[in-house]
Structures are given as structure tokens and as C-alpha cells.
Amino acid sequence: MVCTGAKSEAQSKMAARKYARIIQKLGFSAQFKDFKIQNIVGSCDVKFPIRLESLDSAHGPYSKYEPELFPGLVYRMKKPKVVLLIFVSGKIVITGAKERKETYAAFENIYPVLAEFRKVQL
Amino acid sequence: MPYCSACAKNTVGNRDSNGFLSCDDCGKVLTFDNYSTEATFVKNSAGQSQLAGRLVRSIDDESFSRQRLFDRALDDLIMMKNGLGMGENLTLANQALDFYRIAVERGFTRGRRTEQVQAACLYIACRENRKPYLLIDFSNYLHINVYVLGAVFLQLCQVLHLTEHPICQKLHDPSIFIHKYTASLTNDKSEIKEISDTALAIIASMNRDWMQTGRRPSGLWGAALYIAAYAYGHKPASDDILRLVHVCGATLSKRLVEFENTESSALTIDELNAKAEELMESPVEPSSGMKERELLCKHKGISQHYAHGLCKSCHSFVIGFDGGSDPPAFQKAERQRMEKMEKADDRNTEDQDLYREEITPLVDQGTVGISTADIDEGGNDERSKGTDDDGSDNFSDIDDDEVNEYLHSESEKPLKKELWEAANWEYLEEQAAKEADAAALKEAQEANLENCSPEARERYAAVLAAMEKSKKEKQKKRAADAKNSTPAQTAEEAVHRMFTKKRLGSKINFTVLDMLFEETSTNGGKKPRSESHSDDDEDAVLHTARKDDKLGEEDDIDDLGMIDEEDDNNGYDYEEELEHERDDGYDGF
């Protein structure tokens, strides 16, 4: 069974167990085994515009930016192994983490990079 | 110049289509060379036809089907090139064909439409030669979704290891595109130059104002062209522009509005150009803390590093300058933030007006509520981890009443059943048909057993059940084995496994197979073999085949078909063995 859309790890587990209980009540011998969080998606806002073109040219091996196809830059971080979608408005989406702390670590890593390419206010 | 004895002189001679070289004057046949690359057959001592010579595989030996594939690809590429109007020069098509060759070798064309792969190859060639063609032009011409084509293009870049090449890294240079678009709007040479320059200045200013980041370039170029054309007295129908840049009217108007909001919109053309030049000349300080870095832009090795891995000109092109307007996406986000803050403020002030005394304790409670909820969430995590250890099958912490809400009541059950059966009647019919077939089969079997005694019937049922069980067990065991087994130690083992997995065991003479492995292991290189030797081998094979018949019946082997699969293991030796084992003139191909 795959449970998706929960807003926290505990919620996800609770929902999965509820469903298992429902199946049990219907008469099937259901067991609840091997619960594992497979993917955590998080979004945040750094509140300053980011120059995606220069980020792409500076971090070439990690970033993929094709304005013809998608407005955001796809940044594949190696450690922790997560994917970040970076948009010009300053909104960031972090996905692919198996644990909450990976998401936080990824954001810690990317923030200085983004600050480097922020729009400088005159 | 061969010599003709009848005419007593050297003559050039005419060559016939049949290969005869005949004298000009008297027609005497001088030479007869008929070279042909076809396979010819001669009769050997046993009277059997045999191939004259041997087929040797050379490096350049592409099979005919491969050749045809590339010829067809080249034709398609040329057609695509002409359809898009890239001119008569074939260099683009040839470059694209080179990319296509590599793609085919890497197996990229398998499972993808050739049209899409060819388009992607041509697009890479265009990008390399800086031709003004966007992906959307290709998708428009071929009627393929641009995102599908884009995905193929990105995957192709991955396969060709072009991801860090400037082709894929650097953005499109608008100057080449604007010239193309302007040329289609007007024919006057001087005008083209002026309009293009103005349009480029507008684009540069859009760049400075952060309008370009994250956007499809074609929309901005369309807007810039529109303004520039207007400035020079042309009144381009918006339809023309839209057709050129492949955007819709709404996008064009949006870009124009955004440009209007920037500061540069208030400038006249001359002022715009002047500002551009001024900014180019003025020294812009690179951001501090940038050490000497390798240049990543196209001026690698030519210019000096300036900032962010780019030289000065590329930096000003890509990054623009300090300041400028905020990108529209960011402006929208800011606006939403403002609205939210205002709403929160309004709500606070509203509540304060209406429920002055009650609100403060409520608000306090609210915030306290939130914080306790947070703590609870954190606490929940701890607690749930605790219950894990107890045994997660114990669902005692789940509210039974809530669960019961999810289940249908007794009255709802038949209604739902009716609904479902009505919606899925096709599936139910299929299942009923299957059951009927199975029942008919069973009846037929029963009819056969009617004459037997009840004990016989019992035994028969028991045998059936046992067979079923053993089949299931065998399947499970096989699956477990396949999962746990180590990779095959020898090629022979690997081949055996492959055959059992694919269930081709009954079609293969395993003894011959083993012999082949034996032989190749004992004689590494070529070994001259005589007729009698091969006869002995064959006898030995037949003999052993009858004796150790591990796999039931042995069908007639198609030696060649099976051996081809092992070609990789044994390489050249096969050609040797095939020649000697098969005397019916059928060489290994």
C-alpha cells in the first residue's frame, strides 16, 4: 500500500494504519509491516529574486535550466541526494529526501549559493 | 591499353555490361573481368555446392540494413531541414546524421520514434552552428508536443555527453533570431538593421530588468520585435508576429504590459541605445570574494575571468547589471505576500473591533493551542516510535468509531453492489466465461473417469492436487533461487541459466552445447580439423544424446540459431566450427 499526501511523517503512518484497520474490519487478516517513508517534498521561499542563468553556468554539472521547456532550474544535489527546483521568484521546492533532516540540510547547503546569485538592489 | 592481336595495335576498347572488354575496330574480346561482390558457389569434391572463399568481417563492414537505416535517416533529415527552411547547405544534415549514428550505436533509437530522435539530432546541430531555430519550430513543423520533443532532446544530450557542453549550457543568442524574424517582416536592408538593433537593445534592457529569467525566450523576442517595428513605422499585424515566434496573443500582451511596467519603457529609442552603450562602457564591479576562476563561457581561453565564471561581455549579457526591476514572478509573489499580510492585519483589527475583551484570551488560547499542537506533533513522533516497539499489529490506538464510518452499513451494501456490477458488467461477463470454460473442462475429465472406481477417482484428484502443489513450490523455489543466486561463474553456466529461464530447454541439445564449451576451452585458437574428425564428433554427439537425456525429448536442433546467441562468448572460433560441422554449404550467417 502506498500512502501519499500527508503533511507529516506521523500523519502518514497514522493514515496507513487506519486503512489497515479498515481492511481488518472487513474480515481480511491484515498486518501492518515494513512502514517506510519513501519521499519527502518541501517548499520554501527565500524572498529574493535569483538569476537562474548565472546559477546554471556556475554550477553546470548539477543544474539543468531549459527556459524553453520549464521555467525553473533543476538542481541535483549530491549530498544529501535531493533534487531542488529553483524559480526566479525565490521559491524553492525540495524533493527526493528520505528523511526530514535531509531536506533541512539541502536548504542549508543551497542558501549561500542562492544568495550569491541574488538580485542586487541598487 | 590492352593489345589487340587482330588489329596489331593497342586499343582502349569498349567495356560491355557483361564485363567483356572488346576491341574498338574489330570487336575481338580482349579481356573478360567480371568482378562481383556477390557470393558465388563452387562444387567441392563431394559434389556439394560450397561458398567460394570466406566471408570476413572487416571494421567498416556495416550490414545492409544498417546502411539503409542511415540512408533513410539522412533523407528524413534533409526533408526536415528543407521543411524548416534552413537552406540548401547539407552540412547541418550531415552533422545531425553523425549524432544520429552515435545515438543508434548507443541504442537510443530503440523505443523512441525515429522522427523525434532525428529532430533532436537536427536541433543539436542547429544549436552548434548557431542557427536561429528553436525547439518549438521543430515541434510546430512535426506536430509533436514540444515537451515530448524537449524530453527526447535532453535525454539525447545525456547520451551524447553534451550536458556540460556550451551547446546545452549557454542560452540562445537573440541576435541571430531577431535578424531572421525581422527579415521576414520587411525587405528593406537598412530597415532590417535598424529594427534589429532596436529590438536587441530592447531585449538587453528586458534582460537587465529581469524579465527574461525563467521565461520562454520567444515571447520576449516577439514583444521586442513588435515595439521595434512600431517605432519604425511598420504596423505589424500581431498575427504575423505570433506566427513567427509561436506564442499566443495573451502572452504577447502580457510581455508588453510587463515591459511597460519597467523603467526603460519611458525612454525613447535613442535614449535606450544610449543607455545600453553607457552601461557597456562603465566599469561594473564584480562581486567581492570572487577568486580567479576558470572561464566557463564560450570565451574560454580568450578573455579573462570577470565574475561567476564568465568573462566581462558574457557577464553583462547573462547577468545584466546591478539593479533593474524585479522579475515579474517575484513581483507577483511579493504582491501575494502583501495581500496576505493585509488580510491578517484586517482580521486582527476586525476582531479587535468586535470582540475586544474576548479576543485577547481567545488569541492567547489560539496561539497556545498552536504551540501545544506543535509540541504534540513532536510528541506524537516520539510516541508513535514507542508504539512501534510494542508491535504494530495492535491497532488499539485507532478509533473504532471512526473506522466504522468508512465502512458501508448493511443497507448501503446491496446498493453499492448494484452500482458496481452495473459499471463493470463487461469484466463480470469475461470472468463468467472463464469459469464456464474451466467447468466444461472439468466435466470432460469427469466423464473420462466415470468408468473408474471411486478409489481411482480419489487417486486422480490427489494426483492433480499434488501436481498443482509441486508446480507452485517449484515456482517459488525458482524465484527464490533466482533472487539469491550468485552471478554465474562460467559462461557455460550463464548460458544454461539463460535457457532455463527462457524455457527453451526442450529445443536445445545440451550435450552439443557442453561440447562446444569444452572445445573452446581446450583449443584457444584455430585448429585445423579434418572431415573424419568432424564425423567422429557427430557420432559422439548422437551417442551421448541418446544416453543422457536429461530433459525429455530432444527435438531436431537448429544449431545455427542457438549458436548465434553465444557468438559473443566464443567469437571467431564459431566460424571455424560451423564450417566443419555443417557440410551442406550453409555457412554461419
Side-chain angles (χ1 to χ4, degrees), chain A residues 45 47-50 52 71-72 86-91, chain B residues 209-215 254-255 258 325-337:
Chain A
D45 193 352
K47 303 217 166 89
F48 53 76
I50 305 167
L52 301 178
I86 304 172
F87 295 93
V88 68
S89 55
K91 299 228 171 75
Chain B
D209 288 328
W210 288 70
M211 265 177 71
Q212 193 174 8
T213 314
R215 258 74 179 289
K254 218 164 111 182
R255 298 287 173 265
E258 282 171 8
S325 325
D326 285 332
F330 181 73
Q331 289 176 14
K332 195 164 155 208
E334 282 279 299
R335 239 178 291 143
Q336 283 173 345
R337 272 193 281 265

Side-chain angles (χ1 to χ4, degrees), chain B residues 379-452:
Chain B
N380 253 345
D381 290 334
E382 315 298 329
R383 241 181 290 143
S384 60
K385 283 195 200 123
T387 46
D388 264 1
D389 306 335
D390 289 358
S392 36
D393 272 7
N394 179 14
F395 291 116
S396 56
D397 58 332
I398 297 181
D399 194 4
D400 268 353
D401 289 336
E402 194 186 340
V403 170
N404 282 333
E405 278 182 40
Y406 285 109
L407 301 170
H408 278 308
S409 68
E410 285 306 318
S411 54
E412 289 172 340
K413 278 194 198 159
L415 291 171
K416 185 66 191 278
K417 186 169 144 99
E418 261 186 59
L419 276 172
W420 190 88
E421 284 182 356
N424 295 298
W425 59 272
E426 289 163 356
Y427 171 73
L428 291 169
E429 265 185 22
E430 275 173 38
Q431 295 297 94
K434 259 200 226 172
E435 297 260 317
D437 284 339
L441 193 63
K442 207 163 167 220
E443 262 192 43
Q445 281 180 345
E446 292 278 304
N448 285 343
L449 295 174
E450 251 177 12
N451 301 329
C452 312

Side-chain angles (χ1 to χ4, degrees), chain A residues 13 18 45 51 65 68, chain B residues 123 207 214 216 337 388:
Chain A
K13 183 158 188 175
K18 269 201 197 148
D45 193 352
R51 261 295 180 199
Y65 175 54
E68 284 186 75
Chain B
Y123 182 58
N207 218 350
R216 284 244 187 97
R337 272 193 281 265
D388 264 1

Side-chain angles (χ1 to χ4, degrees), chain B residues 20 42 169 234 281 313 372 490:
Chain B
F20 297 108
V42 293
Q169 289 285 30
H234 287 269
E281 251 114 75
S313 55
T372 45
T490 65

Side-chain angles (χ1 to χ4, degrees), chain B residues 245-419:
Chain B
V245 296
H246 304 293
V247 291
C248 76
T251 315
L252 190 63
S253 12
K254 218 164 111 182
R255 298 287 173 265
L256 291 170
V257 164
E258 282 171 8
F259 183 65
E260 190 190 352
N261 289 338
T262 67
E263 302 165 344
S264 314
S265 60
L267 307 168
T268 65
I269 304 288
D270 299 325
E271 285 174 358
L272 200 69
N273 290 335
K275 188 169 181 198
E277 283 178 26
E278 184 193 307
L279 281 167
M280 280 293 226
E281 251 114 75
S282 73
V284 181
E285 290 304 311
S287 37
S288 57
M290 259 312 120
K291 302 185 283 276
E292 250 309 307
R293 256 175 45 184
E294 200 198 309
L295 220 50
L296 296 171
C297 62
K298 67 180 177 189
H299 299 123
K300 217 176 203 173
I302 308 172
S303 314
Q304 263 215 353
H305 173 260
Y306 185 65
H308 295 302
L310 302 169
C311 70
K312 185 161 183 199
S313 55
C314 288
H315 176 94
S316 54
F317 173 70
V318 166
I319 297 184
F321 309 89
D322 289 342
S325 325
D326 285 332
F330 181 73
Q331 289 176 14
K332 195 164 155 208
E334 282 279 299
R335 239 178 291 143
Q336 283 173 345
R337 272 193 281 265
M338 290 296 146
E339 282 172 19
K340 235 197 272 179
M341 296 240 293
E342 280 175 16
K343 254 195 237 160
D345 280 340
D346 281 345
R347 219 180 294 134
N348 278 348
T349 50
E350 226 181 57
D351 291 342
Q352 276 175 9
D353 289 339
L354 296 175
Y355 308 103
R356 199 163 273 275
E357 290 96 39
E358 302 173 32
I359 192 58
T360 15
L362 259 177
V363 165
D364 284 332
Q365 258 186 37
T367 48
V368 164
I370 294 167
S371 53
T372 45
D374 275 335
I375 296 170
D376 268 349
E377 278 286 65
N380 253 345
D381 290 334
E382 315 298 329
R383 241 181 290 143
S384 60
K385 283 195 200 123
T387 46
D388 264 1
D389 306 335
D390 289 358
S392 36
D393 272 7
N394 179 14
F395 291 116
S396 56
D397 58 332
I398 297 181
D399 194 4
D400 268 353
D401 289 336
E402 194 186 340
V403 170
N404 282 333
E405 278 182 40
Y406 285 109
L407 301 170
H408 278 308
S409 68
E410 285 306 318
S411 54
E412 289 172 340
K413 278 194 198 159
L415 291 171
K416 185 66 191 278
K417 186 169 144 99
E418 261 186 59
L419 276 172

